[in-house]
Amino acid sequence: MRRISLLAAAGLMALGLTTPAHAAGPDYAVSGPTEVGLNPYPAKGSPKKTTVDIGITNPTSKDFHGTYTLTLDLAGLKGVADVALGEVGDDCERTADTLVCEGSSLWAGGRTVVQLRLTAAKGAKDGAHGTVAVTGKAAGIRISPRTTTVTVGGPDLVMQRLHLKNRMKVGDRQATPISFENKGTRPADGVVLELLHTRGLEFVEKYDNCTFRPNGPQQRGWGTTVCTFEGSFEPKYVYELDAPLHLKATQRAWYDSFIYRIKETGAASTALNDSKAGPKTGVRIGAKRVLAQPYSSDLNPWDNQQEFDFQTANTADFAATPLALDGKAGEQVKARFGFRNQGPAWIGNIRSGEPVATVDIRVPAGASVTRKPKACAALSADGTPRERQLGAPRYRCQSGYTVLDGASVTFPFELRIDRVVPDAKGSVAVGTWAPDGRLGRLAFDPKHANDTAALVLNPTRVPTQPTPGATATPTTGATPAATPSATGGATPSATAPTATGPGGNLASTGSSAALLAGAAAIALIGGAGLFLATRRRTGRHG
């Protein structure tokens, strides 16, 4: 028996596995893949390893502090796969057919407990399969077990890289002759093509077996087109679309990304493609077999995605919102300071995740800030940072990493009227923040006359129409806590923006976690957003 102590790390893939009940409350569950495919044992050289992370999900918002045990029954892999321990894990003891790992503390969300490295056993035939049964126990909680199936061989869908131009003009169209191949050992029974793109791009053609849906708030600015293809996709062959598919730069385009990936049909993918969504065209797009390839045993589930970034010649007009506020001495007034993207382009820092714009607020004389959002920092009059956050003469606020066309970004404040100063003047300006404390101009905004707007307290001449964006409401008893808000799809953040994906226009391959956010984030997505459902090896270019 040998004892191994390995560095613990976080990172999970959903798998439910179940043990008898121990206490009331939500079920914790073992995490990991439900199915694993292995490269066949080669005629020459060493077998390729497949890494599998096994952990425990914590469905609550609180950390669990207590001892837990995971037991992995490896007997089902005899003659199918060889097992070694990877670089991640808690304290584990292994006998011939059992691996027992112990640890303490489960963070909210969960953690990886042990990493396995699997290779096909010598002599295992294509299609041979076995199981890893995992059970867990801990005092006061239930940990659900299930079984992971391990199979030698299988389909391996590989997306081919498109050769696109990354410089575009509004209205430009590009053909996307997508093709993929099955480098595996067995057919894929149906495939799903997922086409993720940011707001400035759209597909020209519409097909009945393809559905577009905007992504959720965590991937703002992204949308997904899902196309389903039935039939058997044989190994050794390349497949390409049998109908045109053109990507267009719309009037909203600026800096945009396109992610295209292929995978086997599954419940999650089918759910994305609602056959009732959208009008029917009577036309379907298919995938035809075009070329036989030499046999390859490079079974790799991470190379089914490619990415491309576009830069479209376009502009966006960010206009600061003027405000006129009124109040009596001692009163509290509420106001939202910010700007509006008057288009035509949407603006998103989808790779870096950095704020799109900065709002510079100068407080009128006779008033003091008593409440501010976390996305805004107090400054001295000269623009230097200030430790005391309330009562400052100036504030710097950061937008989120995306600002949609037509969106208004606003930051809620409360001010106390210390004394009435007629026509007390401040200002609201939008731009980019410089290290010396100045507010610079946004490169994509050619109209600078509206970068700064007046902020007037107790005007002697009241406008006949309400000031755009003003929400001044007398109130009392303000406390120093608030969060920024946005309308029309903008995303100011109460904390530092999170990245959606790796920055730059570089060709790359490697693992990426669930996006955006990457991701991410895209992080990006994902993931990141960015926002990807599973880890995969990607090639980004453009």
Side-chain angles (χ1 to χ4, degrees), residues 38 74-82 119-125 128-130 152:
L38 303 181
L74 308 176
L77 296 182
K78 283 185 178 180
V80 175
D82 295 327
T119 57
K122 188 174 183 179
K125 296 182 179 180
H129 60 276
V152 177

Side-chain angles (χ1 to χ4, degrees), residues 10 155 162 203 234 248 284 328 361 366 402 433 458 465 470 522:
L162 292 173
F203 284 102
E234 303 293 328
K248 178 183 176 181
R284 296 176 65 87
K328 299 178 181 179
I361 303 164
T402 63
W433 195 257
N458 290 311
Q465 303 248 345
I522 332 318

Side-chain angles (χ1 to χ4, degrees), residues 74-149:
L74 308 176
L77 296 182
K78 283 185 178 180
V80 175
D82 295 327
V83 183
L85 292 181
E87 298 177 353
V88 176
D90 286 355
D91 291 340
C92 299
E93 291 185 357
R94 180 177 176 180
T95 60
D97 297 328
T98 304
L99 182 66
V100 179
C101 300
E102 296 181 349
S104 59
S105 298
L106 295 172
W107 311 312
R111 64 178 300 178
T112 296
V113 175
V114 63
Q115 185 181 80
L116 304 180
R117 288 182 174 172
L118 306 180
T119 57
K122 188 174 183 179
K125 296 182 179 180
D126 183 36
H129 60 276
T131 59
V132 179
V134 187
T135 58
K137 63 180 181 179
I141 63 172
R142 297 180 300 226
I143 303 176
S144 301
R146 255 168 101 188
T147 300
T148 299
T149 300

Side-chain angles (χ1 to χ4, degrees), residues 450-473:
N450 57 10
D451 288 354
T452 301
L455 168 57
V456 183
L457 182 60
N458 290 311
T460 55
R461 296 182 61 186
V462 180
T464 56
Q465 303 248 345
T467 304
T471 57
T473 305

